[in-house]
Amino acid sequence: MVTIYDLAKATGFSAPTISKALNGNGKLNPKTREKILNAAKEAGYTPNMAAKSLSTKHSKLIGVILEDVAMLRGFEHPLFGGLLNRFRHEIEMAGFDLLFLSKNFNDGMSYIDHCKYRDVEGIIVVNPIDDDPEIQTLGSCGIPCVSTNEFIPGICTVVSENEEAGHIAARKFFECGHRKIGFLGAPMRENSPAAIERLRGFRDELKLCGMEFEDKYLEICDAWFDKSGYEGMKRLYERCPDITGVFVVCDSLAFGAMKYLAEMGLKIPEQISLIGFDDDTTAVSAAPILTTFRQDRDRIASLSAEMLLQVMAGIPVPHIVRVPTQFIDRSSVKII
Amino acid sequence: MVTIYDLAKATGFSAPTISKALNGNGKLNPKTREKILNAAKEAGYTPNMAAKSLSTKHSKLIGVILEDVAMLRGFEHPLFGGLLNRFRHEIEMAGFDLLFLSKNFNDGMSYIDHCKYRDVEGIIVVNPIDDDPEIQTLGSCGIPCVSTNEFIPGICTVVSENEEAGHIAARKFFECGHRKIGFLGAPMRENSPAAIERLRGFRDELKLCGMEFEDKYLEICDAWFDKSGYEGMKRLYERCPDITGVFVVCDSLAFGAMKYLAEMGLKIPEQISLIGFDDDTTAVSAAPILTTFRQDRDRIASLSAEMLLQVMAGIPVPHIVRVPTQFIDRSSVKII
DNA sequence: CTGAAAGCGCTTACAG
DNA sequence: CTGAAAGCGCTTACAG
């Protein structure tokens, strides 16, 4: 391993001068800088981040909260995987590495201890465990944070225009002549905007259309899995066989619902119309007909990175940043 | 931030003694240890990894090579996402954090420089860029490595029993009465076992069945995307409309193929039979009929972690570790 | 069993 | 513009 002392010896300058040349800060004779930079290149010098981190208190590490327990799916989550690719790219361009925060160390190290352990400079909350009390304290732990999707006190959240999407879905059904429209939802937690906001927009738009959304048309699935969608659709359909359309809060659930409908011999959209949410790419060609909303992963990710970097720089950011969704009108809504 | 010096002051012992107590190495009076541990807990002490890393040369960091350029899909890759969840868990239980190796720093820092920069102790190669010359040098860079899927000189690879799966697929088609069977493959690179081995097993088994696999039944898609599968299937079917079954080298391609077949009005399995590979979970309920092979992500991941930890400990490991696949016989192969 | 000294590789004031 | 000194928080021999 080549150190700045090796470079000092090789060039005849002192360690602090080497440091200055390498980091480009402070006044320095251009020739000196050039000599040092050349020597560094020649020697194949790579700085040691542990030493740097120790003396500067800057680890150049961004903590990521991404859990994979039970319903969460960690890296496998269709939305968050894509989001992380882009976030990682942005953050690396800014000279940071990702560090996945975990409670698996020792006897369950907390996120915040993990951050202290690694001197993490900022945190992005992607996929937290439901009702984890520690998440609620993140806003006041002193480490800059940004959240995608989940609302957390004192933290900027970057999230899709869910309510607007709900409006669009309801309007679409209404304009296509549907009057008995179900909503297949997922567990609604106060801090998790997705399901609540989509339902709210949906409800409000129906009202604007002069309809009243009846509670019997609302069915909540017990999780965000295909299987839950299958079961939820079963309950909804058995209770309300008169429905002609269903807005499903996400594609995974919609796929489960489609499976149930297929088993019942109900054709989409001939006998029942469907709108999903997420446009899960893997499944697109397997279920090419589903009308859905595409969340702008790239924009959510790059805005999250931007907001986080700003918070880290002490620049104020809005409490909520909204990102439009894209309505993808395939062929799963029938005009009746 | 609480340091060992704070604990030294609080307990009256010296820094080295605090260190010993905290790390549990060396002889120490049990009472001393207990006092120190209590003081540490009371003060909310968290060790500083940068300092630890600097003095021990152990960063407790495992580098991950996971790229998301073009055809690779980074975190979104259906197989590698699941694999990483489990790998991460295993590695964290062993006290390590994941550090994603990247070429995005500065003017394109190499993987190895990134490792030096962070003192990475071991590397797992998940999803490297095709023909990246640096990958080939990993075996001799001095850092312990393990690869999943890709063969790399001097590095242990943990990989599915692809050839056996090829045998099973061929045998299945043969026993169901198929005699004109296509193979829809993906780009074959020497170091990437997936496509090559599946084809080899498939070919060999047909031979064992007394058939000869004809080249015209082989079609190579240009990538691992749905779209490539669509186009590949189109070429294959237009050339050989007499085929009754196709072994598709992965599910993404199979989904694309299914889309093409659906557009052509060809029913599966009534008019054409299909076997896929991977059992992509997201899409299962959207395409519930596809007979396929499930790769044992969990086993691949935990074995990779185990092998890597062994290499890091200087324990010899096999050059290749094989993991059985599971044949999932749904209903996409017709008996004729 | 415990501690004084030195070192890991780098940077930050402060002199000159 | 350049360098000597001290420090970041921890650990490793080595004494005692």
Side-chain angles (χ1 to χ4, degrees), chain B residues 4-5 19 23 45 55:
Chain B
I4 58 169
Y5 291 104
S19 172
N23 294 297
Y45 171 79
S55 61

Side-chain angles (χ1 to χ4, degrees), chain A residues 4-5 19 23 45:
Chain A
I4 58 168
Y5 291 103
S19 172
N23 294 297
Y45 171 79

Side-chain angles (χ1 to χ4, degrees), chain B residues 39 59 80 108 173-174 204 206 217 219 272 299 303 327 335:
Chain B
S59 63
F80 295 133
F173 277 126
F174 183 80
D204 289 353
L206 286 185
Y217 289 136
E219 183 61 45
I272 191 159
R299 187 121 183 83
L303 276 172
F327 182 56
I335 300 176

Side-chain angles (χ1 to χ4, degrees), chain B residues 81-156:
Chain B
L83 194 151
L84 264 181
N85 278 334
R86 177 62 183 265
F87 182 80
R88 171 185 165 188
H89 193 260
E90 297 287 331
I91 230 63
E92 285 176 349
M93 295 305 276
F96 291 85
D97 277 305
L98 257 37
L99 194 279
F100 286 85
L101 265 22
S102 166
K103 300 192 179 182
N104 286 333
F105 294 111
N106 308 336
D107 42 338
M109 183 180 255
S110 71
Y111 290 137
I112 292 172
D113 280 346
H114 200 169
C115 287
K116 289 204 289 181
Y117 175 68
R118 290 281 184 193
D119 275 331
V120 160
E121 297 189 56
I123 299 175
I124 174 130
V125 182
V126 176
N127 210 351
I129 296 175
D130 287 1
D131 307 316
D132 176 353
E134 195 187 357
I135 294 293
Q136 302 306 314
T137 70
L138 249 31
S140 55
C141 75
I143 304 170
C145 286
V146 163
S147 170
T148 69
N149 198 44
E150 184 91 0
F151 291 136
I152 304 169
I155 292 180
C156 168

